[in-house]
Amino acid sequence: MGNTGGKKRENQLAEKGLTHRTDETTQFEETKTEGGFIPGDHEAEICYGGEADLHKHYTGCKKNPGHKKFNPVNDFKLDHLPSRYRDVIMLEVIKTLSALTVLIKVKYTSLERPKSVPCFSGQYPFYNTRGSDVLRTGTGRVCHVVKYTDSDNKGTCPCGKCQHSDTPSKVWGEVRVLTATHVVFDESEARQTRCVVGYDDNKSPGVSLDGWGVEEAHIEGDMCKFTCVSCDLELVDELDKMCRHFNDLCQKVKDKYRRFVDVDKLTVIVSHPHGCPKQVSVGEWTHEHEREGCYTKYTYTTCTCPGSSGAHVYMTGYGRCWSRPHSGSNSEGNYSGEDGWFYL
């Protein structure tokens, strides 16, 4: 009976494109496969040699050599979209999403990271680098902005610039960013994080925001909302305007294309592969994986690379309040964290 069952299990794995091994990681993957979702590898970029490693990782990329299915954000046009979606509103929503997409640089790994969780095979990302200052990069999206004045009794701006100033700003902004939890795990990591806004090409280095705290973080769902702070009021106001505009555009796109949501399955991602200038990739979602009938992960063909972790996975036809971050890659393709209501 034991040999027969083992042979049957090997055949099932072979049908799913998995090879049989006896180590603990593969046994864990086999168990989860039966539940409809295969844990995989994260796609944050780790740089043991610091930022100097990023270009080397980009040119030496083995997942997408040449990055031919990525489009520089400044070159993205309607022709890059399927014919049904080649209209001004679709281009505008992608351009606005691009404006809200940020490069995340994390220079510390929390001692509180667990050894393993169900959504990743083997050890949880960066467990072995706990307590170190090894750089990693990911991607995030600005989702909400709050501006404080002296009358709000929030004190002066806590950004790095103001902390070293004799006249810290009494008017400042809190910028909330959505990403994957394996990119920014907790407050100790958020305090050692920088978000770069506007890094669209090598001629535009962008503007940095100082990480400050974590509002919500779900390990199994792999979704984190953390805060950055800034006294650059022009930037704060512009990001606030873009957030509101993006929400309105998403609702319009949902109303227009909702009947095609299960037909074309259009999925767009704007990310910073390998910590380099932002790129747009277009594909479609292929599988929907539900947990407890409430939270959902998606698998898709849209291209990603190390450094894409945490990028907003935009699926045409879904409501504006649903957000899901890119999480990793497995034998079925690229996959997201769980969707959820992560706005205010």
Side-chain angles (χ1 to χ4, degrees):
M1 291 293 290
N3 289 337
T4 301
K7 187 64 177 177
K8 180 180 179 181
R9 185 67 187 134
E10 286 185 10
N11 291 337
Q12 290 174 340
L13 289 172
E15 291 175 359
K16 295 178 181 294
L18 296 175
T19 57
H20 177 71
R21 299 196 307 269
T22 58
D23 60 89
E24 293 180 1
T25 297
T26 303
Q27 290 172 1
F28 181 73
E29 289 180 352
E30 292 170 7
T31 301
K32 294 303 289 185
T33 297
E34 294 175 351
F37 177 76
I38 305 171
D41 298 322
H42 70 85
E43 288 204 313
E45 182 74 274
I46 188 164
C47 307
Y48 290 100
E51 294 193 31
D53 277 355
L54 294 175
H55 181 71
K56 180 179 68 176
H57 291 168
Y58 185 88
T59 57
C61 178
K62 294 182 179 179
K63 184 180 181 183
N64 292 294
H67 299 90
K68 296 179 181 179
K69 293 185 179 181
F70 288 89
N71 303 285
V73 63
N74 291 333
D75 298 335
F76 191 81
K77 299 179 176 61
L78 288 177
D79 290 346
H80 292 118
L81 291 167
S83 57
R84 194 197 306 276
Y85 301 94
R86 291 175 185 170
D87 63 26
V88 175
I89 191 172
M90 274 303 305
L91 186 61
E92 188 174 2
V93 76
I94 293 171
K95 292 290 187 180
T96 306
L97 171 59
S98 298
L100 294 171
T101 297
V102 298
L103 168 63
I104 297 176
K105 299 178 180 181
V106 189
K107 296 184 178 180
Y108 177 72
T109 304
S110 173
L111 294 170
E112 301 302 318
R113 285 190 174 240
K115 187 172 184 178
S116 65
V117 297
C119 53
F120 288 99
S121 61
Q123 286 190 163
Y124 188 64
F126 312 115
Y127 176 80
N128 284 338
T129 59
R130 291 173 303 156
S132 76
D133 60 357
V134 174
L135 173 69
R136 64 179 174 278
T137 70
T139 303
R141 175 178 69 86
V142 175
C143 66
H144 189 65
V145 177
V146 179
K147 187 163 72 173
Y148 299 114
T149 65
D150 196 24
S151 62
D152 292 311
N153 296 316
K154 287 287 187 177
T156 57
C157 180
C159 76
K161 177 183 175 182
C162 285
Q163 286 184 7
H164 294 89
S165 171
D166 294 332
T167 56
S169 179
K170 295 181 179 180
V171 182
W172 53 282
E174 186 178 85
V175 178
R176 295 168 184 169
V177 177
L178 292 175
T179 189
T181 302
H182 75 267
V183 175
V184 179
F185 185 78
D186 60 15
E187 185 168 310
S188 69
E189 294 187 359
R191 292 290 181 99
Q192 297 295 322
T193 294
R194 297 290 180 272
C195 285
V196 184
V197 181
Y199 183 27
D200 295 348
D201 55 48
N202 287 320
K203 296 180 181 179
S204 306
V207 179
S208 291
L209 298 172
D210 295 337
W212 184 248
V214 168
E215 290 201 358
E216 292 185 72
H218 297 266
I219 297 176
E220 189 166 345
D222 201 27
M223 180 176 281
C224 170
K225 178 169 68 173
F226 72 101
T227 57
C228 295
V229 290
S230 176
C231 58
D232 184 339
L233 301 183
E234 184 176 348
L235 176 62
V236 167
D237 288 341
E238 181 63 21
L239 290 175
D240 182 40
K241 176 183 174 182
M242 286 293 102
C243 284
R244 297 173 189 276
H245 188 46
F246 180 68
N247 290 345
D248 290 342
L249 287 171
C250 285
Q251 188 62 45
K252 291 178 181 178
V253 170
K254 176 191 173 184
D255 294 341
K256 184 170 184 178
Y257 291 106
R258 73 170 70 196
R259 65 186 184 278
F260 303 119
V261 67
D262 294 321
V263 179
D264 298 322
K265 302 180 179 181
L266 180 65
T267 304
V268 180
I269 295 177
V270 183
S271 69
H272 285 276
H274 308 287
C276 294
K278 70 181 67 161
Q279 306 279 320
V280 183
S281 51
V282 178
E284 62 180 30
W285 61 269
T286 56
H287 295 95
E288 182 181 51
H289 310 275
E290 288 190 4
R291 179 172 68 88
E292 299 174 357
C294 181
Y295 300 103
T296 309
K297 294 175 183 280
Y298 287 86
T299 304
Y300 33 85
T301 63
T302 314
C303 276
T304 60
C305 270
S308 296
S309 277
H312 180 84
V313 181
Y314 178 69
M315 299 167 64
T316 306
Y318 285 86
R320 66 178 182 143
C321 292
W322 285 101
S323 184
R324 58 192 65 82
H326 174 62
S327 185
S329 180
N330 61 22
S331 60
E332 294 184 353
N334 300 317
Y335 64 88
S336 71
E338 293 177 350
D339 48 18
W341 302 86
F342 271 69
Y343 269 76
L344 300 178

